[in-house]
Amino acid sequence: WDADPEAAFEAWVQRAGVALTRRGTLRPGSQAVYRSMWGAFCAWMRQHGLHFSTLDAARLDDFLHDGARATIRDEHRRRYL
């Protein structure tokens, strides 16, 4: 996840999408939303020189309250939780 968080997430989405769509819970539209949200989070991590494995609660709070505020509406920001 540290070396390439976007690729790791994509691999997860592909596995989850196959498994969950059999039950009808992770549709392609949902996958696109998750990719977009993850991409915004990864961009924020890069801007701050952070790696996934070293994030702590304070940094996640920074993203949710400062980093995401400029680009993501409040109702969408809550979905990160």
Side-chain angles (χ1 to χ4, degrees), residues 2 5 10 58 61 64 71 74 77:
D2 280 345
E10 184 60 30
D61 189 62
L64 290 172
T71 58
D74 285 343
R77 193 165 39 93

Side-chain angles (χ1 to χ4, degrees), residues 6-67:
E6 286 94 343
F9 185 77
E10 184 60 30
W12 176 83
V13 166
Q14 292 301 314
R15 284 191 307 275
V18 168
L20 295 175
T21 44
R22 291 184 190 137
R23 295 190 311 247
T25 57
L26 189 59
R27 297 182 308 260
S30 296
Q31 291 178 22
V33 169
Y34 294 142
R35 282 183 188 107
S36 175
M37 292 172 70
W38 184 253
F41 181 62
C42 289
W44 178 85
M45 285 194 301
R46 278 191 300 276
Q47 289 172 342
H48 291 84
L50 301 172
H51 297 282
F52 187 73
S53 65
T54 61
L55 293 173
D56 58 16
R59 286 301 196 167
L60 293 173
D61 189 62
D62 289 344
F63 170 72
L64 290 172
H65 292 99
D66 297 326

